[in-house]
């Protein structure tokens, strides 16, 4: 399953991020499921440097969040800034996810 980046730009002056809320209430879990996720993008931008895309938090039977925290510095790529909603949408970022758990 996949959820597009339809989120708010959050954070403070010292901590900027994109918070992605994913509603899984239609799945019918009766206890907290095991959620795995990854960040995908189209276009010429590699999301491999985006921190947080594979780390679901606040997981419940009905929802989870993913916080896209910024870009990691790497050899030959010195920029380490923060993602924006406009950039994420322009490059078709999406959170691919799966959830496994009890439904009865």
């Amino acid at each position: 399953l996949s959820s597009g980046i339809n989120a708010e730009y959050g954070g403070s002056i010292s901590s900027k991020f994109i918070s992605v809320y994913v509603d899984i209430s239609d799945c019918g879990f009766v206890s907290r499921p095991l959620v795995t996720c990854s960040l995908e993008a189209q276009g010429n931008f590699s999301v491999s440097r985006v921190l947080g895309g594979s780390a679901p938090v606040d997981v419940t039977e009905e929802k989870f969040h993913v916080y896209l925290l910024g870009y990691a510095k790497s050899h030959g790529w010195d920029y380490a800034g923060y993602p924006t909603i406009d950039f994420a949408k322009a490059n078709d970022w999406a959170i691919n996810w799966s959830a496994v758990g009890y439904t009865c």
Side-chain angles (χ1 to χ4, degrees):
L1 300 170
S2 181
S3 295
I5 305 298
N6 295 315
E8 295 294 323
Y9 190 62
S12 64
I13 293 172
S14 63
S15 176
K16 297 178 182 176
F17 57 87
I18 296 174
S19 173
V20 181
Y21 169 84
V22 181
D23 182 347
I24 59 173
S25 60
D26 287 344
C27 296
F29 292 112
V30 296
S31 61
R32 187 175 67 186
L34 172 64
V35 176
T36 58
C37 56
S38 64
L39 178 62
E40 174 188 12
Q42 301 298 317
N44 295 324
F45 181 77
S46 171
V47 293
S48 63
R49 295 183 185 97
V50 177
L51 303 173
S54 62
V57 295
D58 303 325
V59 178
T60 71
E61 297 85 359
E62 298 183 347
K63 53 92 179 153
F64 68 91
H65 284 92
V66 176
Y67 297 102
L68 305 176
L69 303 173
Y71 306 108
K73 286 187 177 182
S74 65
H75 178 70
W77 201 67
D78 291 332
Y79 179 72
Y82 304 101
T84 65
I85 295 289
D86 290 340
F87 186 82
K89 288 182 177 181
N91 288 279
D92 295 322
W93 287 16
I95 300 294
N96 297 318
W97 60 273
S98 65
V100 177
Y102 293 104
T103 57
C104 60

